[in-house]
Every structure is written in structure tokens, then in C-alpha cells.
Amino acid sequence: MASNLSIGSRVINEGSAGLINGLILCINSFTIGSLLVSHYAKDYVGIAIGSMLIAGMFGSLYGLLSKDKALACGPSGTVASIMAGPTLIFFAGADLDANMLLFPIVLLGLLVALIFYLTARLGVTNLFKFIPYSVFIGLMAASGYLICKGALSISLGASVDTNSFGAFLIQFSRLDVFISLIIAILYIVLSPRISAQILIPGIILGFSLAITLFLGSGYCSTDLCDRSSWFFSTGSSINWIPGWEVNTSGLTLVKFLEFLPTALSVAFICVLSILVSFENLYIWFAEEFDTRIELKNHSILIALSAIFGGFISNLAFQRVILNKKIGGAIWGGVVTCLVAILAFFYIDQIIQLVPRCVIGGFLLYQGIEVMQKS
């Protein structure tokens, strides 16, 4: 009987971790994909989001490669911000189309995978041991701040306005932002008393249901009850182009050499980001990792993602924390992968299951907790 209960609780833990992480992955794919093409290629946002979902699908199965089965990866917003606009236009030229949009993504992925492998093979990661511990603590605090800022942007549906104190306060006076703050406070107050396996899914489901019922009740004004101000919406269909179908006719040796510095800088940022994330996990959970092995695992993951037309995938610190708290591992990753596959057909329906402010409140709690740990 005890064994059955243990199996049952594990199924619930893996399932809830996989579903929540799947929802976060879909939202991240939408936001990062939109960022990638925000300036010069808005017509191809569906291609960009599809590339992010491919990266998330492979990244969700990272536990199959690592000794720690709770590890997960996802599309890198940092890399997308570097590549957004100018890099794509420089590489694709004036004849930008869906194929040419993916060309630099696939090429960059393969180059970064190779650089990751060589970095691990040559033992270059040992040089990072000379970075002072205080630097990692500072980077962890900065990560927490960025998570909090991103959480508030999700709740607002727009960037946080920090140009003036008045505008900042006006944004915080909105009901959806207030609900996010309440949710974050509830997590902070209740987390020492209630198991994360119960608390996190319970608050997400409870608040999502309450807000949905409130919006459909007819007791609020038309503006307040407008679903578009409470829920995500892509407004785009997702398209998939595999890496082996990408048009390579525009590749020349000169263009490749001109693109190489971008690949090297992205690879350096990704390596540093991964090492910082593993150091943060050590601070958080007192768990040590062989970074050479993990970098080799990342190289396999990024290469597979690129071959299938996916973006660069990096260690997803927030989702790893969620896995470790709830009990997600390989099967949780499989559930997340299935959610990503479904998102190719039903992304609007998936990301509208949970209001923005509920996801924002959860991520705000995570950001505060990361800063506290630092």
C-alpha cells in the first residue's frame, strides 16, 4: 500500500512539474521568439516561436543525459537579444524569408555546439575556477533581479517603466499586478509551512480558476473583464522548418568568417551562463556537478536542436528549481516535451490556461527567493 502511495505521489509530482514547466516553456518560447524578430522580421514570428519550442523540447529531456535527472534546458533569451534584428539582417541580407531567418539560427547552433565540446574537451572550464566566489553571488543576485523584472513585465503585458517613479507607481496600481504581488507574498509566507508539491500547483490552479470565474461573472466593467488584458495571446500560427531544409545558398566563406565573432561571443556568454547556473545550484542545493561533462551534454543537446531547426538551449535555472522543489525528473521532462509538441498546434489555447498575473506572481516569488539565497 505504501509503495502504491509512493508511486501515486511520484506520478502527481512529475505530472504537475511537467505541466507547469511546459506552460512556462510555451510562454518563454512566445516571448523570446517575438524578441528575436521584433525589429526586422515580424512577419516570421511563427517560425521564431517554433524554433524556440524545438529547443525547449530537446532541453526538457536533458535529464536523460545528466546524472541529475531534474535538470532542464530551454531557449536562451540572452542569445536572442544578441541576435535580434541587426545580426539576422546582416546575415540574411535584403532577401529575408523564412528559410533565411533560420539559416543563422541553425549555423550558430552548430558552431556553439562545437565550441562547447572543444571547451569541455580541452579543460578550459578549469580557468573559471579562478573567478572569485563573490562574483557568482553577485551574478546570482542579478539573476534574481532580472527574474523579478521579467515577472512584472509578464503581469503587465509590457516592459516595466523605470524612467520615472510616478509611472512606476501607476503600473503597480493595476489589479493584475496587485494580484501578482499577493501571490508572491502567499508563496513566501506559506512555503515554510506547506510542501511545494501542494503549494505551487494549488495556488496556480486556485487563482486561475478564481480569475476565470470572476471575468465570466459579469460583475466587473467591460474594460476590466477584457480577457486580452489578463491572458497571453500569440495571434500567430507556429511553423516548423527542420535544419536540413534550410537554404544555404547565401553562405560564402567571407560571410562565414564575418559571422564567426558573433558565434564566439555567444558561445562565451553561454558557457559563462551555464557555469554560473551550476554554481548557483551548488549554492542552493549543495550539489556539485562535473562541468566538463555537462558542457559536453549541452553540446549534444544544442547540435540536435539545431539539426531540427531549434534555437540554442541553455540551462533553465527557474525550471530546475521548480523540478527540485516539486519532485520533477525525467518523466516530468517528458510531460514538458509533450506540452511543447502540443503547442505547435494549440499554443494560444495552452498559454491562455493561466492568467499572466498568476505566472508573474510565481516567477516574482522565484526571483525574490533567488536574491534571498544570494
Side-chain angles (χ1 to χ4, degrees):
M1 184 69 175
S3 175
N4 290 335
L5 288 174
S6 176
I7 293 173
S9 62
R10 183 177 176 185
V11 169
I12 293 172
N13 294 345
E14 294 263 21
S16 59
L19 288 172
I20 295 171
N21 274 331
L23 180 61
I24 293 173
L25 171 60
C26 290
I27 293 168
N28 285 343
S29 297
F30 165 55
T31 54
I32 297 172
S34 300
L35 168 66
L36 181 66
V37 297
S38 58
H39 299 293
Y40 297 97
K42 291 181 180 179
D43 293 341
Y44 302 109
V45 65
I47 296 286
I49 296 172
S51 180
M52 302 302 160
L53 287 172
I54 292 291
M57 286 166 50
F58 284 103
S60 299
L61 303 176
Y62 184 77
L64 293 171
L65 299 174
S66 176
K67 68 167 187 176
D68 188 334
K69 305 308 176 185
L71 296 187
C73 295
S76 172
T78 303
V79 177
S81 65
I82 295 172
M83 289 190 67
T87 302
L88 293 177
I89 292 300
F90 159 75
F91 201 74
D95 302 323
L96 183 65
D97 57 20
N99 266 304
M100 289 305 297
L101 174 66
L102 274 180
F103 191 5
I105 292 175
V106 172
L107 180 59
L108 183 66
L110 294 174
L111 286 173
V112 169
L114 177 61
I115 293 168
F116 270 36
Y117 177 79
L118 293 176
T119 301
R121 184 76 176 176
L122 299 174
V124 179
T125 54
N126 293 329
L127 297 176
F128 288 91
K129 293 179 181 179
F130 295 100
I131 298 176
Y133 187 72
S134 57
V135 172
F136 287 107
I137 293 293
L139 289 171
M140 186 173 177
S143 298
Y145 164 76
L146 292 175
I147 292 171
C148 289
K149 189 175 180 181
L152 292 173
S153 295
I154 286 174
S155 299
L156 289 165
S159 299
V160 178
D161 189 349
T162 56
N163 293 326
S164 69
F165 187 67
F168 185 72
L169 286 180
I170 289 173
Q171 287 184 320
F172 267 76
S173 66
R174 286 176 37 170
L175 179 59
D176 46 3
V177 177
F178 178 73
I179 292 174
S180 291
L181 294 174
I182 293 297
I183 290 172
I185 292 170
L186 280 175
Y187 278 125
I188 292 169
V189 172
L190 297 178
S191 58
R193 300 171 177 83
I194 302 176
S195 167
Q197 289 92 332
I198 298 172
L199 181 64
I200 294 174
I203 288 182
I204 289 176
L205 290 173
F207 272 87
S208 298
L209 181 60
I211 291 170
T212 301
L213 291 175
F214 171 69
L215 295 179
S217 66
Y219 290 110
C220 54
S221 65
T222 304
D223 291 339
L224 186 61
C225 285
D226 183 10
R227 283 183 62 90
S228 64
S229 64
W230 288 86
F231 291 86
F232 295 94
S233 178
T234 64
S236 303
S237 59
I238 309 302
N239 298 309
W240 174 54
I241 299 176
W244 57 83
E245 290 187 6
V246 170
N247 180 10
T248 60
S249 59
L251 181 62
T252 63
L253 179 60
V254 173
K255 216 160 199 178
F256 175 79
L257 293 175
E258 288 176 336
F259 190 60
L260 198 56
T262 299
L264 292 172
S265 61
V266 167
F268 175 78
I269 291 170
C270 287
V271 169
L272 184 60
S273 173
I274 290 169
L275 295 178
V276 168
S277 295
F278 279 118
E279 188 65 28
N280 289 344
L281 288 175
Y282 172 74
I283 295 170
W284 198 288
F285 300 105
E287 182 180 359
E288 293 189 0
F289 297 88
D290 188 330
T291 52
R292 292 179 65 176
I293 293 176
E294 299 301 340
L295 273 180
K296 286 181 181 179
N297 292 339
H298 270 78
S299 70
I300 296 171
L301 193 71
I302 293 171
L304 283 172
S305 177
I307 290 169
F308 283 86
F311 201 65
I312 291 174
S313 193
N314 246 7
L315 192 70
F317 187 57
Q318 297 164 257
R319 287 167 52 204
V320 174
I321 292 174
L322 179 67
N323 274 340
K324 286 185 173 291
K325 284 193 169 188
I326 294 184
I330 291 177
W331 288 110
V334 171
V335 173
T336 301
C337 182
L338 292 175
V339 172
I341 293 172
L342 286 174
F344 274 93
F345 308 97
Y346 307 106
I347 189 166
D348 268 330
Q349 291 86 336
I350 290 173
I351 64 177
Q352 287 184 18
L353 290 173
V354 179
R356 287 200 309 254
C357 59
V358 176
I359 292 294
F362 169 67
L363 295 178
L364 183 61
Y365 154 68
Q366 279 200 325
I368 292 171
E369 196 173 28
V370 168
M371 287 191 287
Q372 284 179 333
K373 287 285 185 180
S374 62

